[in-house]
């Protein structure tokens, strides 16, 4: 082109052209895969540089085609904002429910988040960490989206880190952990509701347009009435062996909120995180707020595969000593409650050794002097041995237990205080309570303020002191029986920190204590307990080896409870105790409790001679198959909600051994419950197997042909009849490869 012929208009045209090329609307799309072995999310920037979820399904293998996915869907967004935003902000373009809502230091409530960059780190051959940086173009405010992907387990852990550099604190009004989007047709949600003694009751609903909310405002725990565990099935109701399924859990030990929204286009938006109720969080400049994780396992082959993926991941990567061993124990709680003394406890050690357990656990009631712990209305907070009950202290009991060949463990509830205690009298400012309101008690107690570093030191000191004085102490049962009423922190008030930080900082303070304890005592087994269960998640299980599913130990109800917990937790984490609850025979009770970490809450001296023989033999049998239950693949074969029996199977990874638990759960009409065979799963079709009934009660022979050999193919197609009936209400089968 001849320079002298270029006009001013030509320059403007050229300038406009290059500006257009460099503008966000012309910028090349950035596509980010979040991919496991069998599933893929595709995140992609749009022409405004906002990050969207444009695909969920089986992996698209050709990377060159990823960019084309977003053009396949045609939605009108003019009236609603963007439904498929990867992390939806409030106050600007968006009109749907946000994942994050803030009030800036200057009082402005608008937020925009634009893609800046991302990086991917391959942690090993199986694990990938993806970090996506989003920034507000006006305010110095940023959000980092994290996705940790376990390829082989088809599992994703997702969380968010929020930071700003404004002149003063920013108020986080909502701060979700994840904002997922699914464009599949028809969604079915299974949530798990409950109450004391009725935890983890499943409810399945087809999601319709609008928002379905599952939440908790309890403060100290998550799972008592509603739980942070959920199941989504795509296209049709959940099936054990068929269909696309997502099993999820918010790994947070306090108040939570899960929102399942079917939008106007009948897609699903899932926003999960800490419950923002009464929890607007004041975030100081240059401080980072990290949300809890949303953890979810995916499967194209039904709920069973998804739960096995989740259980495998938990054992390998999350649960403390998840691939290790556990102790069988005898607990004194239902044997004595608060009514015991030193001699009575020592007298129980011999019974523990006699039936063959590893450990004796001393439960509630061992502490307090000015206000002795003789019932549940006094003593919490005063963690000194009661001199009347235990004149020689805990150390004496540890030594006496050792003489009998069993280890010794102890119960504590260190986050709590009774108003009738020396701690309450000395440190009223350590108690969560509204100073202008009447005190409200849950089980006659209140919650200590773990936002306060002094209280954190006190709680750490309770456990540390026990171990310093008794280095051979082998087990801790950590209880929590109260929720937060009249939420108010004297510590936060004195520090000038808003009271709305309390619910979040309480849980973070507890985690801080547990971090310190595990740094000093990394291997000691600890059970996480809470009145009636309701306190288990994958953040807590970094620090605890196991948890107490429910105070309901009636064995028939326990079959259903343990069935539901098994969707989300491996059996090695669930404490199952044999007690005197219910009308089922001892064999039934022991068999049910053997589907996890076995324990006893009975007076062994009250056992009949045959019951004693059975217990000893059952514990001996348990030692031979416990590792199959703890570390094997679990298959839920026959659903007790739909059948007269329940059947659950555990198979070793090499498919050489298995154990199958079968129970009668309904005897209203059928004297012979197993009219049909139980079809097994998880075996090798080309291997041969023998089947033997174990845990037989003394002098009662099996009705089954023992040690007959079957092919794995036969057992997984034709099945096997365990002959469960009114006279044989519980049948355990041991399966061994025959070479």
């Amino acid at each position: 082109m001849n320079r002298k012929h270029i006009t001013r208009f030509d320059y403007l045209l050229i300038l406009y052209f290059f500006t257009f090329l460099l503008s966000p609307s012309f910028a090349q799309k950035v596509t980010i895969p979040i991919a496991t072995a069998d599933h893929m999310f595709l995140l992609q920037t749009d022409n405004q540089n906002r990050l969207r979820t444009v695909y969920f399904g089986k992996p698209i293998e050709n990377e060159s085609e990823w960019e084309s996915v977003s053009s396949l869907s045609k939605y009108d967004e003019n009236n609603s904002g963007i439904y498929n935003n990867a992390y939806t902000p409030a106050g600007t373009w968006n009109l749907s429910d946000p994942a994050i809502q803030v009030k800036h230091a200057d009082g402005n409530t608008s937020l925009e988040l634009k893609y800046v960059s991302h990086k991917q780190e391959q942690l090993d051959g199986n694990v990938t960490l993806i970090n996506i940086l989003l920034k507000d173009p006006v305010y110095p405010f940023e959000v980092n989206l994290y996705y940790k992907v376990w390829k082989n387990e088809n599992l994703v852990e997702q969380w968010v880190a929020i930071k700003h550099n404004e002149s003063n604190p920013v108020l986080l009004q909502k701060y979700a952990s994840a904002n997922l989007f699914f464009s599949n047709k028809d969604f079915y949600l299974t949530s798990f509701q409950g109450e004391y003694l009725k935890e983890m009751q499943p409810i399945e609903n087809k999601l319709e347009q609008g928002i379905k909310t599952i939440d908790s405002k309890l403060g100290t725990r998550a799972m008592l009435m509603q739980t942070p565990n959920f199941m989504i099935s795509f296209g049709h109701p959940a099936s054990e062996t068929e269909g696309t399924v997502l099993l999820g859990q918010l790994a947070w030990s306090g108040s939570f909120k899960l929102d399942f929204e079917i939008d106007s286009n009948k897609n699903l938006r899932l926003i999960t995180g800490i419950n923002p109720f009464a929890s607007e969080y004041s975030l100081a400049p240059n401080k980072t707020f990290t949300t809890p994780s949303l953890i979810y396992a995916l499967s194209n082959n039904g709920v069973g595969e998804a739960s096995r993926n989740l259980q495998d991941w938990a054992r390998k990567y999350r649960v403390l000593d998840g691939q290790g061993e556990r102790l069988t124990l005898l607990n004194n709680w239902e044997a004595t409650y608060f009514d015991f003394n030193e001699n009575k406890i020592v007298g129980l050690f011999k019974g523990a050794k006699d039936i063959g357990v590893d450990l004796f656990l001393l439960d509630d009631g061992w502490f307090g002097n000015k206000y002795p712990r003789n019932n549940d209305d006094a003593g919490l907070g005063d963690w000194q041995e009661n001199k009347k009950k235990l004149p020689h202290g805990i150390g004496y009991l540890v030594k006496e237990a050792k003489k009998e060949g069993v280890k010794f463990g102890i119960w504590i509830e260190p986050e709590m205080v009774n108003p009738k205690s020396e701690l309450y009298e000395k440190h009223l400012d350590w108690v969560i309570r509204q100073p202008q309101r009447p005190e409200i008690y849950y089980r006659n107690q209140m919650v200590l303020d773990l936002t306060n570093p002094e209280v954190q030191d006190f709680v750490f000191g309770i456990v540390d002191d026990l171990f310093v004085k008794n280095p051979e102490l082998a087990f801790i049962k950590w209880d929590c029986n109260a929720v937060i009423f009249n939420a108010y922190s004297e510590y936060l008030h004195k520090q000038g920190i808003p009271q709305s930080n309390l619910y979040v900082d309480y849980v973070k303070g507890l985690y801080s204590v547990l971090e310190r304890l595990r740094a000093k005592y990394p291997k000691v087994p600890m059970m996480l307990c809470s009145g009636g269960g309701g306190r288990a998640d994958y953040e807590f299980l970094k620090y605890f080896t196991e948890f107490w599913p429910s105070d309901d130990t009636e064995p028939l109800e326990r079959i259903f409870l343990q069935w539901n917990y098994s969707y989300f937790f491996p059996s090695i984490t669930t404490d199952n105790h044999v007690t005197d609850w219910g009308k089922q025979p001892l064999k039934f009770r022991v068999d049910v409790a053997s589907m996890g970490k076995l324990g006893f809450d009975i007076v062994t001296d009250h056992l009949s001679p045959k019951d004693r023989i059975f217990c000893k033999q059952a514990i001996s049998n348990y030692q031979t198959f416990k590792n199959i239950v703890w570390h094997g693949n679990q298959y839920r074969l026959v659903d007790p909600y739909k059948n007269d029996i329940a059947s659950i199977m555990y198979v070793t990874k090499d498919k050489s051994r298995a154990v199958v638990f079968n129970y009668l759960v309904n005897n209203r009409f059928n004297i012979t419950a197993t009219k049909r065979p139980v079809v097994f799963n998880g075996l090798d079709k080309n291997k041969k197997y023998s089947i033997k009934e174990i845990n037989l009660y003394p002098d009662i022979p099996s009705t089954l042909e023992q040690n007959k050999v079957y092919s794995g193919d036969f057992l997984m197609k034709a099945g096997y009849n365990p002959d469960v009936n009114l006279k044989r209400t519980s049948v355990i089968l041991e399966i061994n490869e025959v070479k």
Side-chain angles (χ1 to χ4, degrees), residues 690-708:
S690 65
I691 300 178
K692 176 184 178 183
E693 183 175 356
I694 60 172
N695 270 28
L696 292 164
Y697 194 78
D699 301 328
I700 298 181
S702 174
T703 63
L704 305 176
E705 185 177 359
Q706 299 293 295
N707 294 313
K708 184 176 178 179

Side-chain angles (χ1 to χ4, degrees), residues 532-561:
R535 213 184 197 211
D537 61 72
Y538 281 120
E539 192 64 29
F540 258 148
L541 287 173
K542 290 178 179 177
Y543 311 109
F544 291 86
T545 51
E546 58 220 63
F547 72 94
W548 182 240
S550 175
D551 275 357
D552 185 355
T553 56
E554 200 286 323
L556 194 59
E557 292 300 326
R558 267 294 179 129
I559 291 170
F560 292 85
L561 274 171

